Each structure stands twice: as structure tokens, then as C-alpha cells.
Amino acid sequence: MQSLLQSRRTGTSMVFTLEDHQKEEGLLKEAIHRAVQCAQMAPNHKRTEPFSFLQIMNSSSSADQVAEIAYQVAARTRSVPVARKKKEKWSQIPAFLVTLVHKNQKAVLSDSSSGGSSSSSSRSDTVDEISDGTFEPLPYAPPETERQLEDYASASAAIQNVLLSLHADGIATKWATGPVICTPAFRKLVHAKPTDRIAGLIMVGGMDSTQFDSDKMEQITAARRRRRRDVDGDVLQSLLP
Amino acid sequence: MQSLLQSRRTGTSMVFTLEDHQKEEGLLKEAIHRAVQCAQMAPNHKRTEPFSFLQIMNSSSSADQVAEIAYQVAARTRSVPVARKKKEKWSQIPAFLVTLVHKNQKAVLSDSSSGGSSSSSSRSDTVDEISDGTFEPLPYAPPETERQLEDYASASAAIQNVLLSLHADGIATKWATGPVICTPAFRKLVHAKPTDRIAGLIMVGGMDSTQFDSDKMEQITAARRRRRRDVDGDVLQSLLP
């Protein structure tokens, strides 16, 4: 277990490696199903069950739209060739999983009565009313209450379970955030309610090449450990042992 | 792997089950060390490495102070016998792990320049200046920027790795939040900087009894699955398959 927890890395080359495209997609769907079953078992405070996942397979028109949004967002700040390259790259990704965190109305009500902040509610409640700026990322809106922040924590733990389950199945993943998921176009595509937060776009790859190249794997892990701080001292400290 | 991901549950009876107290603490420390190594490998956006863990063993005076804070917080709103019972319960917990999320100054600066909200910074920056209300939970302060929210997501994924690693070692855990960690007294005890967020207090138990009672385990899992929504439909949906 610990070796799997420690060996998972963000995927870099997300391509199908099996020849039979349809067969691979079937396997991928099964693996995604197992991963979401694992996500469901992540801890959640007060049993709010706050998250859901949306699956977008490469062969769908929705996947084409995701790549198009990535293109439009890149074209806003980068050159057209750079944006085209990005679209081409995103078009190769075998599957996406979108993680939505839902606003628990009951929980929000009980939080409000205990004095939770709600100063920014007007912003997130009008997200879908914006008609222009389809490809312009919306500004950051913080979780309004402690409950909403904890629901986001639960979704993050659930995403980690998804990544680990897919890794155990030898499938590469990348938990992406960034401007694409913040656009009205993307929110519209995934039918996000104005009160939903998109916690991430999980890129789901084909075979996880790191699992089949132990030398490369060891290099990556060693480099990461060097870059990261020490467990004893910086990351794990004792209080009055 | 998937069976471990799906079988982890929040612990309920956190007691030492081995007779040799010192030996158990040694094993527990080793398991905690392994767990934090796994935490370190959780994904983090922009390599901010934003979290750290603080270990409080049952035998320390710091653990006594945690139990005392739990007592004082309970006594504010509940009866003294109820608060005493809570203190007694917390005094039995073999170890605590406190998860701190640090504010990345560099990241905050770059976020501010892109228009991040900072309306609530005055609150969190003055946490440690509060001299009275030592046992009064501080009000909710949202993450001020997208980067801070993503650092909290990384810490949440790291906590999930800690829970899973300890579960793989047969040790019960509970990821607690609640009023205790929001008090100035607790923040002072764990040396939290005014800009640190405490993402959770992880109660680390002795043996995980659910691992050794498969009948009970199956009952719990079945009940949880009934309570939770279906993977197909509510939790996992397809977009234009």
C-alpha cells in the first residue's frame, strides 16, 4: 500500500498505448468506475456527501468541446500556434473526469445561523448569468462557510482516492486546475450549477509508463524527495516528545 | 489497493490494545513516520509544498493540554460532567497529528497581482494578537486566494494519504475539525503562525478493530453504501457518451 501511495506521480505522456482503441476505452471506463467507487469512500464531515464526478470520454463531442475551450483560453493570452498545439495535446487525452463540489443547502443554512460569512455569495450565484466573456476565467470566489471549505476538503480527499485507484490500475492521471475550468464555457459544458465549485479536471491517461520503467521511476522519486523538504524536521515535527 | 481504499473508516474506539504501552508507542511512531512520507507524495499545485504535520504522543504534556482545551471548549456550551467525559475520552487517544497549511508568501504575491481577494486578511493576520477568549473558537476565515485554496486541497490529499497509510498498518484514525482547533489556545499550543490554517486534527488510534472483524466491517460498508448515493447516476455521470 505505502509503495503505491508513494509511487504515484502526475502523468506527463497521456496516450493510448494499446492498439485496440475501443477495447482500451472499455478498460478505462471500468477503471474509472472503480476509482469513483473509491472516491465515494473518502471521509466527509457531517455526512454531506458533497461531490460528484462527470466522465468525458475522448470519443465524445464533449471532449472536442473541452479541447476547443482549452484552445480559446490559450489564444486569449498566447499566440495562435501555441494555442493550436495545446488543442492538439488536449485532443489526445483518453478521458477527463470533472469533480464538482455541490453546495449543501441544509449545511449552508445551519452555518449561516452561526454567523458564517456570505459576503461573496452574490458573485457565485450570478456566474451563469454572464453572457459575454465565455472564455474569460471568472475571478476567484472563496468558500463562503466553514462547511463549504470542509466539503471541498472531502472532494480533495476523494480526488486523491481516484488518482490512487487509477494508479493501482496502471493508468496515468493529472489533477489540473487552471483557467479552463474557471470559464463560463466550461461550466456550461459540464452543467455546473451557479453554486457548484469545480475542484478539478482530472486528465486520465492510458498506460502509466512509470509503472513499467523502474529506473525512470526511481530517478523521479529521488528528484522529488530532494526537492521536497525532509520528513523529519520540516514536514513532521514532534511537540514535547 | 482498491479494497484498502474502500475499507478505510473513521475510527470509533481509539484505545491501546497491546499490553506493552511503550512498545506500542514505538510502533505507532514508526507508522506515523511512514504515513507522513506518503503524505509528502500527495500532488500539489505549482510545487508549493504547503503543509506540515505536528505529532503529539499520548505520553506528552502537550497531549494533556489538548485534552484540557477539549474540556474547556466543551464546558463553554455543555455541562461540566459532559466536558469531563470528553476530556477523559481525549486523554485516551494514543496520538494526534496536527496538519498545518502554510501561507506561501511568493504565491500569495503573484496571486494578489492577478486580483485575488484579500478582504479577510486582517482577521487571520491578527489571530495571535487576541488575548482574551482563549477557548473561544475564532470565526471562519476563507482562503484568500485561489493558490491558498489549492494549497488546502493539497493538504487534504496529503491527509487522505496519512489515513490510508495508517489504515494499511492496521491503525484507526479520525480526521477531526470542529471548535477545538479553532481556539487561540490550540493555535498557541501548536505554534501556528497567524497565517497558518489548521486543516485538521488527526486522532491516531491503536489497532483498527474493523480490520479484525470482517462481519462488522461488512455491515458498516453495506450501511454506508446504502446511505451514500449510487456511483452510477448520482456520483458518476457521463457527458455525451
Side-chain angles (χ1 to χ4, degrees):
Chain A
M1 177 72 165
Q2 275 97 356
S3 69
L4 272 163
L5 290 175
Q6 293 194 37
S7 62
R8 201 208 73 83
R9 292 293 169 282
T10 292
T12 46
S13 57
M14 305 242 189
V15 288
F16 282 109
T17 53
L18 296 187
E19 283 177 19
D20 186 340
H21 183 98
Q22 287 311 112
K23 183 183 161 199
E24 172 84 350
E25 184 169 297
L27 290 174
L28 210 52
K29 276 187 176 173
E30 282 173 30
I32 287 172
H33 192 271
R34 270 193 296 278
V36 175
Q37 279 190 312
C38 293
Q40 231 188 338
M41 291 296 142
N44 66 138
H45 296 285
K46 311 282 179 193
R47 300 181 176 177
T48 48
E49 317 286 351
F51 52 80
S52 67
F53 291 88
L54 198 67
Q55 167 184 271
I56 302 174
M57 301 306 291
N58 182 271
S59 54
S60 68
S61 62
S62 297
D64 297 341
Q65 287 183 62
V66 173
E68 175 64 22
I69 295 168
Y71 169 80
Q72 293 287 350
V73 168
R76 285 180 65 250
T77 53
R78 315 285 292 274
S79 70
V80 167
V82 167
R84 278 210 189 112
K85 205 168 171 185
K86 181 150 200 172
K87 183 176 182 175
E88 179 59 28
K89 203 175 152 193
W90 282 52
S91 300
Q92 308 284 322
I93 295 168
F96 296 99
L97 264 180
V98 183
T99 313
L100 295 162
V101 192
H102 308 292
K103 191 168 174 175
N104 188 312
Q105 298 300 341
K106 206 178 79 181
V108 169
L109 279 177
S110 66
D111 274 351
S112 298
S113 63
S114 63
S117 156
S118 62
S119 57
S120 57
S121 62
S122 57
R123 207 287 302 166
S124 61
D125 286 348
T126 55
V127 164
D128 286 3
E129 292 166 22
I130 295 167
S131 53
D132 56 335
T134 307
F135 299 107
E136 190 171 338
L138 295 162
Y140 169 67
E144 293 160 26
T145 62
E146 193 154 6
R147 177 66 48 83
Q148 280 182 40
L149 185 67
E150 291 186 353
D151 284 348
Y152 176 77
S154 176
S156 301
I159 290 172
Q160 179 67 1
N161 270 7
V162 163
L163 305 183
L164 291 169
S165 177
L166 289 167
H167 174 55
D169 278 337
I171 293 167
T173 51
K174 180 176 178 171
W175 177 357
T177 55
V180 168
I181 64 172
C182 301
T183 59
F186 189 84
R187 293 185 64 89
K188 193 179 172 189
L189 174 66
V190 302
H191 307 299
K193 288 182 196 157
T195 50
D196 288 342
R197 178 179 299 278
I198 300 174
L201 173 68
I202 304 169
M203 298 172 177
V204 182
M207 304 299 275
D208 185 350
S209 62
T210 58
Q211 286 224 337
F212 304 98
D213 185 344
S214 58
D215 282 352
K216 189 184 165 195
M217 189 64 212
E218 272 173 36
Q219 282 172 24
I220 295 172
T221 304
R224 187 157 185 182
R225 285 215 183 279
R226 276 196 300 275
R227 206 181 66 233
R228 302 217 156 187
R229 299 168 293 160
D230 285 336
V231 169
D232 289 305
D234 284 340
V235 176
L236 176 62
Q237 298 194 323
S238 275
L239 202 59
L240 294 183
Chain B
M1 176 74 166
Q2 275 97 357
S3 69
L4 272 164
L5 289 175
Q6 292 193 37
S7 62
R8 202 209 73 84
R9 292 293 170 282
T10 291
T12 46
S13 56
M14 305 244 190
V15 286
F16 282 108
T17 52
L18 296 187
E19 284 178 20
D20 186 342
H21 184 99
Q22 286 312 111
K23 183 183 160 200
E24 172 83 352
E25 185 169 295
L27 290 173
L28 209 52
K29 276 187 176 174
E30 281 173 30
I32 287 172
H33 192 272
R34 271 193 296 278
V36 175
Q37 280 190 311
C38 293
Q40 231 188 337
M41 291 297 141
N44 65 139
H45 297 285
K46 310 283 179 192
R47 301 182 176 177
T48 48
E49 318 285 353
F51 51 79
S52 68
F53 291 88
L54 198 66
Q55 167 184 271
I56 303 174
M57 303 306 291
N58 182 272
S59 52
S60 67
S61 63
S62 297
D64 297 340
Q65 286 183 60
V66 173
E68 175 64 22
I69 295 167
Y71 169 80
Q72 294 286 351
V73 168
R76 284 180 64 250
T77 53
R78 315 285 292 275
S79 69
V80 167
V82 167
R84 279 208 189 114
K85 206 169 172 182
K86 182 150 201 173
K87 183 176 181 176
E88 178 60 27
K89 203 174 151 193
W90 282 52
S91 300
Q92 307 285 322
I93 295 168
F96 297 99
L97 264 179
V98 183
T99 313
L100 295 162
V101 193
H102 308 292
K103 191 169 175 176
N104 188 313
Q105 297 301 340
K106 207 178 78 183
V108 168
L109 279 176
S110 68
D111 273 352
S112 299
S113 64
S114 64
S117 155
S118 60
S119 57
S120 56
S121 61
S122 58
R123 207 289 299 167
S124 62
D125 287 348
T126 55
V127 163
D128 286 4
E129 293 167 22
I130 294 167
S131 53
D132 56 335
T134 308
F135 300 108
E136 190 171 339
L138 295 162
Y140 169 67
E144 293 161 25
T145 61
E146 193 153 6
R147 177 65 48 83
Q148 278 182 40
L149 185 66
E150 292 186 352
D151 283 348
Y152 176 76
S154 176
S156 301
I159 290 173
Q160 180 67 0
N161 271 7
V162 163
L163 305 183
L164 292 169
S165 178
L166 288 168
H167 174 55
D169 278 338
I171 293 168
T173 51
K174 179 177 179 174
W175 176 357
T177 54
V180 168
I181 64 172
C182 302
T183 59
F186 189 84
R187 294 185 65 88
K188 193 178 171 189
L189 174 66
V190 302
H191 307 299
K193 287 182 196 157
T195 50
D196 288 342
R197 179 178 299 278
I198 300 174
L201 173 67
I202 305 168
M203 299 172 177
V204 182
M207 304 301 275
D208 186 349
S209 62
T210 56
Q211 287 222 340
F212 303 97
D213 184 345
S214 59
D215 283 353
K216 190 184 164 195
M217 189 65 210
E218 272 173 35
Q219 282 173 23
I220 294 172
T221 305
R224 186 155 187 183
R225 285 216 184 280
R226 276 195 300 275
R227 205 180 67 233
R228 302 216 155 189
R229 297 169 294 160
D230 285 335
V231 168
D232 290 304
D234 283 338
V235 176
L236 175 63
Q237 298 195 323
S238 274
L239 201 59
L240 294 181

